[in-house]
Amino acid sequence: MRQFVIALLLIFVLPAHADGGRERVSLDRGWRFHLGDVPFPPILTGGDAYDRAKAGSARGAAGLVFDDKAWRTLDLPHDWAVEGPFVATANGGQGYRPRGIAWYRKALTLPETDRGRHVELEFDGIATNATVWVNGNLVSHSWSGYSEIRIDATPYLTYGEQHPNTIAIRVDADAMEGWWYEGAGMYRHTWLIKTDAVHVVPDGLLATPRQAADGAWTIPAAVTLTNDGEQPAQVDVEVVVTGPDGQEAAREHATASIPVLAPATVAVPIAIRHPQLWSLAKTNLYHVVATVRRAGKVLDQVALDTGLRTLRFDANQGFFLNGEHVKLQGVCIHQDHAGVGTAIPDAIWAYRLRRLKELGATAIRFSHNAPAPEVLDMADRMGFLVMDENRHFNPSPDYLRQLQWMVQRDRHHPSVILWSVFNEEPVQGTEVGYQMARRMVAAVKALDDTRPTTAAMNGGYTTPLNVAMAVDVVGSNYHVGDYDVFHRAHPDKPFTSSEDTSAFMTRGEFTTDKARHISASYDEDYAEWGNSHRQGWEAIASRDFVAGGFVWTGFDYRGEPTPYEWPSVSSYFGIMDLNGFPKAAYYLHQAQWIHDRPLVHIEPHWNWPGREGQPIRVMVMANVERVRLLLNGHAVGEQQVDPYRMNTFQVAYAPGRLEAVGYRGGKEVARSSVETTGPAVKLELVPDRAGLRGDGRDAMPITVRALDAKGRAVPLADAEVTFAVSGAGRAIGHGNGDPTSHEDEKGPRRRLFNGLAQLIVQSDWDSRGVMTVQARAPGLAPTTLAIPVKEKP
C-alpha cells in the first residue's frame, strides 16, 4: 500500500454563539488520511485486556492519542479509489479500481463556552462500511455508504484549547453494496452541529404540504425536540413560512414541555392562503423556519424549503402534476464524474443537472440509492421529478432504518414524486418478495403518505403473488413486451418504465469494432435485455398508460463496461459520457423530448479523408416536419421526419459543408451543419462559467479541444495535453470520455479523445485573485486561461 507524507495537522477552533443558537460548520478541511489498514495493537496481558474493555480505551489509530504525523493531509469530499491505478484482476463491475481499507483522523478543539451544549457529528456519506470513534469511544457502525451517519458526540467531548478531541474513522470499502463503481472513503460532506441542550432532532422539522378535499393547502408542521439538560424545559415553538415572493405567508406557534433525554413532538399546523404551486416551469418554493425559544431566548432554529404541488398516477393516462398531464422524460444516473469519482463538488453536480435540463429530461431516478442532500435541493430549484430509491431490499431493523431515514430526510422536497423500495430483486415475483415489500411500504406510509411507492421490477409481474401487488405504482425495468400484457391483466394499476434502453455508444465513433471495444453512435447496438434509444422511447410515448421512462443512463459511469470487459473500464450506456459531453443519443432525445422550439442535428462529423466518393451514413435528428440535406449547397435528399426513429441518408463523401434544413409548414425553421476541418494547430480552453467563488468548494469543468487554423474544433484530434494550474486554485481531476482510457485522472496530462477532454478546477479556501490554467501539446500552439476567483459571499 502507498504511504502519504504530510507536514501539518489543522486543528479547527470554532466560535461559540452567546445566544445558544444552532451552528452548522463544515468539517471538510484538514483530515489525516492513511491508505491501508492499521492493525490494532495486540493484547498482551490480562490487565491490558481489562483496560481495553472500558469506555474511551480504543488503542492504535482509533485512539485519542496516536502519531499520525506521517499521514497525508487532505480536504473532503474524498474518493481514494479514483486516485489509484486500474488493475486487470480487480472487480470489473467496480471499474477495475481496487478499494480496500483506509483510515481518517481529525483533531477538533472546542471552547469552554460550548460546555453544556449539544454537539453532533454528521457524515453525509462514507463508502462503504465505516466505524467511528470519538476520543477512543466507539460511537457508530455504518452498514451503508449512501446513508448519513449522525452521532451525538456530546457525552464524549472535552473542552478548552489544551484538550483537543479526536475523531477516528476506519473505512472498509471492500464491502460492496452495488455492482457499479461506488468509490471509497469520505466522499460526501461532513458537519459539526452545535445547539442548545434543548434542540430539534435530526430531520425533526416535518413540513410536507397537503391539499384538503376542498382544495385548501396546509403545511401540517411538526417539530420534534429533545432535551439534554437536567430539568424539563418549557419552550415556545414558532413556525414562519415565507412564500416564493419573499413575503411572509404564515406564522404560528405552540408551547410545550420537553422532558429530559426524551423526544417530544410539537404540532404547529400552518394554513397557506393564495398558494403558488411548484411545477417544472415555475419552481416556487416556500421557506419554512422553526424557532425554539425559552423565556424569549432562541435555543434552536432549523429551516427547509418545500413546495406545493399535486401529483397523481393514473392507470390509463399516466402521470399528472398539478392536474396537468406530464410524460416522465427521465434518466437513471449514478454518482460519479470524470476526474473526481464519487467525490463530486456541489458545482459539478449543478453542471450535471444543468446538462440534463438542456437534454430535455424532466425526471431523474437516482439509481440505486439516496442521493446527496444538496442534489435534491438542486432538483427542487431546477425543476426535476425524482424517483428516490432505497438501496437495500430488507425489512429487518438495521436496513429498515435506512429506508426510514431516506423518507424522513427527503419528504419535504417537491421534486420527489416516487419512493422506490428496490431495484431488480430475485424474490420480486414470490410471496417472500410481496411480504417484504408490504412491510417496507407500510414503513414509508407511516412517515409520508403524500407520494406513491414503487419498485423497479425486471420480471415477476404475472405470478399469483408478487411485489406489484404491494406497491402503488408498478415500475418495469425493460420487458417492453410485458407492458401491454400487464396492463390488460391489471387495468387499474398505475404503471411506469423505471428503467429502459441500455444502448451502447462510444462518443464520436461511427463504426462498431468489437475487437477495439468501440460501439457506433447510430443507435443500433444495445444489450440483450434492452432496446435502442429510439425503440425504448417509442414504446413509452405511444402508450398513454405508461407514465414515462428512465433511460439507462443519463451519463456514462465507471464500472459495468458492458458489452466489453478489460481493458474497457467504464460504461457505454450514457446519453452523455463521463464528462457530460454529448453522444449522438443526446441529440436524439432532444428531438424526442423538446417541443417548444425546432431542433435539427446531424451526425457524424464530416472529416473522412481517404473516403472521397464513398457513401457515408448520415443520421438527422429533428423535431420538425421535413428535413432536407445539402452538401456544399447542393440538395442530396429530403425526407419526412420520423419523430421516433429519426432519419438516415447515404451521402457520397466530399469535403466541405453538410447541412440539414428543417421545415414546418413549408418554411425553414431550423438548420444545422458539420464541416470538414483542417489539421489541428492550437488548443482552446472553454470554461463552464466566468469565475469561481473563493470558498474552497466551488469548482467548474473546463472543456479542452484542438482547433484548426480557422478556429474550428477538430473532431478527431487526439493530442496529449499537459496542464498547469497556478494562482487561486488547483486542478482536481480530468477525463476524456474514452471507456478504455487508463490514464491517471489526477496527473498533469490527458489525451484528447475524439477531439475533447475535460479539466476540473477548484478554488482554494478563503482565496481571491486569479487562477491561471495553461495547456500545451506537441505541435500545437499552447493556450492560457485566466479565471477570476472572487471572495466568498
Side-chain angles (χ1 to χ4, degrees), residues 344-662:
I344 304 176
D346 296 2
I348 301 302
W349 266 119
Y351 161 79
R352 288 165 64 85
L353 266 60
R354 191 170 71 250
R355 297 295 288 134
L356 293 177
K357 202 73 176 176
E358 293 162 355
L359 168 67
T362 61
I364 302 172
R365 177 184 176 217
F366 290 102
S367 45
H368 307 284
N369 51 264
E374 59 270 14
V375 180
L376 286 182
D377 290 336
M378 295 175 197
D380 290 344
R381 294 193 301 269
M382 297 174 71
F384 286 101
L385 303 169
V386 169
M387 181 188 295
D388 208 353
E389 189 155 274
N390 175 60
R391 172 75 290 272
H392 297 285
F393 184 45
N394 191 333
S396 66
D398 280 343
Y399 290 103
L400 197 63
R401 279 193 290 271
Q402 294 176 18
L403 173 63
Q404 291 167 323
W405 159 80
M406 183 183 78
V407 175
Q408 286 179 302
R409 186 195 70 167
D410 297 346
R411 59 191 172 184
H412 66 92
H413 289 285
S415 57
V416 176
I417 62 167
L418 282 165
W419 304 115
S420 174
V421 297
F422 71 65
N423 172 73
E424 297 182 358
E425 290 291 338
V427 296
Q428 61 200 354
T430 69
E431 181 181 1
V432 169
Y434 167 76
Q435 293 292 354
M436 291 170 66
R438 193 166 67 91
R439 285 157 173 77
M440 296 176 75
V441 167
V444 171
K445 297 293 187 183
L447 295 169
D448 176 49
D449 63 356
T450 69
R451 299 169 178 85
T453 57
T454 190
M457 302 177 67
N458 64 334
Y461 318 99
T462 59
T463 59
L465 191 60
N466 63 75
V467 167
M469 301 171 186
V471 296
D472 302 307
V473 178
V474 175
S476 173
N477 287 11
Y478 312 102
H479 288 259
V480 171
D482 287 341
Y483 287 4
D484 296 327
V485 174
F486 182 87
H487 184 58
R488 285 194 297 268
H490 304 278
D492 297 326
K493 193 77 171 180
F495 183 93
T496 189
S497 168
S498 44
E499 186 174 318
D500 52 81
T501 307
S502 275
F504 310 131
M505 286 188 189
T506 305
R507 178 181 56 76
E509 298 287 349
F510 297 92
T511 301
T512 295
D513 186 339
K514 293 184 178 179
R516 296 174 56 213
H517 289 206
I518 292 173
S519 293
S521 296
Y522 289 114
D523 194 34
E524 292 180 336
D525 298 338
Y526 49 86
E528 61 182 354
W529 60 82
N531 302 96
S532 69
H533 290 274
R534 293 168 294 168
Q535 294 167 334
W537 182 247
E538 182 176 14
I540 293 164
S542 61
R543 290 169 169 83
D544 291 341
F545 69 86
V546 181
F550 295 85
V551 175
W552 189 265
T553 50
F555 301 89
D556 278 339
Y557 54 94
R558 292 170 177 77
E560 286 197 300
T562 312
Y564 310 110
E565 295 180 344
W566 180 270
S568 293
V569 293
S570 65
S571 79
Y572 291 73
F573 295 116
I575 294 172
M576 292 172 275
D577 68 13
L578 263 171
N579 310 280
F581 293 148
K583 303 182 187 180
Y586 179 91
Y587 302 104
L588 194 158
H589 282 291
Q590 276 193 324
Q592 293 173 333
W593 289 351
I594 294 177
H595 310 291
D596 60 354
R597 66 183 189 275
L599 295 171
V600 175
H601 182 80
I602 303 176
E603 293 284 355
H605 57 79
W606 207 238
N607 280 25
W608 300 98
R611 295 189 59 179
E612 287 78 6
Q614 297 180 28
I616 302 295
R617 184 179 179 186
V618 176
M619 189 172 185
V620 178
M621 291 151 280
N623 62 1
V624 295
E625 294 171 358
R626 298 189 66 80
V627 290
R628 176 180 294 174
L629 212 56
L630 307 174
L631 179 58
N632 295 325
H634 301 289
V636 294
E638 184 172 339
Q639 296 178 14
Q640 182 176 339
V641 168
D642 185 331
Y644 295 125
R645 302 303 175 97
M646 303 296 146
N647 296 78
T648 58
F649 300 80
Q650 294 291 332
V651 180
Y653 176 64
R657 179 187 292 267
L658 182 67
E659 296 177 280
V661 184

Side-chain angles (χ1 to χ4, degrees), residues 692-698 728-730 762-765 771 789:
L692 293 173
R693 297 184 309 277
D695 59 3
R697 294 174 177 269
D698 200 9
R730 61 201 181 280
Q762 190 167 41
S763 64
D764 287 333
W765 291 92
M771 178 194 303
V789 178

